């Protein structure tokens, strides 16, 4: 069964601090995708990144970076020099292949990040 | 390009009343999803459509929930009758066929059942 665990329910940091959001996943599939989504107060889920199970290269996009480690089944997300606009709920998600050959998304419970000015 | 549109944004009803949510996906997106997001939780898939066919409705509580996507574009999700435990945000998402990995989400409908 697929499972995504985000152990940090809430995190508060002061502006300009770095912060890492943890994500641990479980799956029996050898092929899968991992995602991070941002959900600001407006409610709309915003796609941040997608990673497939065969690509363990870390990725950096501006102030965002992601560390994918298959050995520990983790896909952590770091925000460098946090800003107030980063305040949101962040979801890690896993997609598998179902019987139709398509994928379903399984979300973690989210981490609420508050950046204090 | 317009994103996924949902209406209404908010709905308050009394228990046992019916309620319906509407979703208009991104133009050209054949695949449409309905998710339910309970407070403090991540979204959970209720149903997935490929064009007008429901290809995965295993998580849809069929005793009170129904959905339709008659022309393969807009979709409606209905609850009848609503229960207190149905209070949640109902999210719609869309993607190109076979591209579940690139889902685009709407703003959701926040349902409160009193």
């Amino acid at each position: 069964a697929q499972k995504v665990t985000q152990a940090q329910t809430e995190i508060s940091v002061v502006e300009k601090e770095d912060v890492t959001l943890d994500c641990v996943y479980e799956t029996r599939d050898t092929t899968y995708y991992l995602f991070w989504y941002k959900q600001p107060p407006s409610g709309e889920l915003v796609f941040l990144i997608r990673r497939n199970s065969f690509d363990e290269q870390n990725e950096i996009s501006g102030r965002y970076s992601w560390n994918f480690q298959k050995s520990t089944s983790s896909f952590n997300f770091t925000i460098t020099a946090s800003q107030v606009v980063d305040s949101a709920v962040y979801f890690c998600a896993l997609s598998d292949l179902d019987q139709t050959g398509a994928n379903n998304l399984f979300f973690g419970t989210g981490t609420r990040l508050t950046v204090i000015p | 390009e317009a994103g996924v549109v949902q209406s209404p944004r908010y709905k308050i009803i009394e228990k046992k009343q019916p309620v319906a949510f509407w979703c208009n996906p991104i133009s050209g997106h054949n695949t449409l999803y309905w998710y339910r997001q309970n407070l403090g939780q991540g979204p959970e898939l209720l149903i997935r459509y490929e064009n007008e066919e429901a290809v995965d409705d295993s998580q849809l509580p069929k005793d009170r929930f129904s959905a339709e996507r008659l022309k393969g574009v807009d979709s409606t999700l209905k609850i009848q009758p609503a229960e207190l435990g149905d209070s949640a945000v109902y999210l719609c998402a869309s993607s190109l066929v076979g591209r579940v990995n690139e889902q685009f989400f709407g703003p959701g409908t926040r349902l409160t059942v009193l």
Side-chain angles (χ1 to χ4, degrees):
Chain A
Q2 285 70 23
K3 184 178 179 181
V4 176
T5 302
Q6 294 181 255
Q8 303 151 310
T9 306
E10 295 188 34
I11 300 177
S12 292
V13 298
V14 177
E15 198 171 20
K16 298 185 182 178
E17 286 184 347
D18 300 345
V19 58
T20 295
L21 309 182
D22 298 332
C23 173
V24 175
Y25 63 92
E26 295 177 29
T27 180
R28 294 178 185 162
D29 295 327
T30 55
T31 302
Y32 53 89
Y33 288 84
L34 295 164
F35 304 78
W36 277 95
Y37 281 88
K38 175 181 180 180
Q39 190 173 42
S42 61
E44 192 167 329
L45 280 161
V46 177
F47 168 81
L48 295 178
I49 189 172
R50 176 185 68 234
R51 220 52 181 152
N52 74 54
S53 52
F54 298 109
D55 184 0
E56 287 192 71
Q57 269 194 324
N58 292 332
E59 183 159 338
I60 298 174
S61 177
R63 296 184 297 107
Y64 295 170
S65 62
W66 292 270
N67 185 345
F68 176 27
Q69 293 195 342
K70 283 180 82 170
S71 60
T72 56
S73 297
S74 65
F75 186 44
N76 296 337
F77 173 31
T78 297
I79 302 174
T80 302
S82 59
Q83 301 176 1
V84 173
V85 293
D86 296 328
S87 296
V89 180
Y90 290 86
F91 289 96
C92 180
L94 166 73
S95 75
D96 67 341
L97 288 171
D98 70 7
Q99 295 146 338
T100 68
N103 307 75
N104 286 321
L105 275 176
F106 295 89
F107 286 86
T109 52
T111 297
R112 180 178 298 278
L113 174 65
T114 302
V115 180
I116 303 166
Chain B
E1 179 183 314
V4 176
V5 179
Q6 290 187 248
S7 69
R9 289 296 312 277
Y10 303 92
K11 189 74 176 179
I12 300 174
I13 61 171
E14 294 189 348
K15 63 181 181 182
K16 301 185 181 179
Q17 294 297 307
V19 64
F21 315 124
W22 176 80
C23 173
N24 180 245
I26 292 174
S27 178
H29 281 193
N30 311 80
T31 307
L32 183 146
Y33 317 78
W34 283 102
Y35 288 87
R36 177 169 59 189
Q37 185 176 16
N38 292 314
L39 187 64
Q41 301 294 314
E44 295 177 323
L45 181 70
L46 290 174
I47 189 168
R48 181 176 85 231
Y49 281 94
E50 300 274 350
N51 298 302
E52 60 273 8
E53 181 184 357
V55 296
D56 185 352
D57 63 355
S58 57
Q59 301 304 310
L60 190 71
K62 299 181 182 64
D63 56 336
R64 297 182 300 105
F65 286 65
S66 64
E68 61 183 16
R69 194 185 184 200
L70 294 174
K71 297 183 178 179
V73 181
D74 296 0
S75 176
T76 302
L77 178 68
K78 298 178 182 177
I79 309 175
Q80 183 171 10
E83 297 179 351
L84 295 176
D86 295 330
S87 295
V89 175
Y90 291 83
L91 294 163
C92 179
S94 70
S95 69
L96 293 171
V97 172
R99 303 293 291 272
V100 171
N101 294 309
E102 296 178 4
Q103 292 185 39
F104 295 84
F105 285 81
T109 296
R110 182 178 296 276
L111 174 67
T112 302
V113 182
L114 303 176

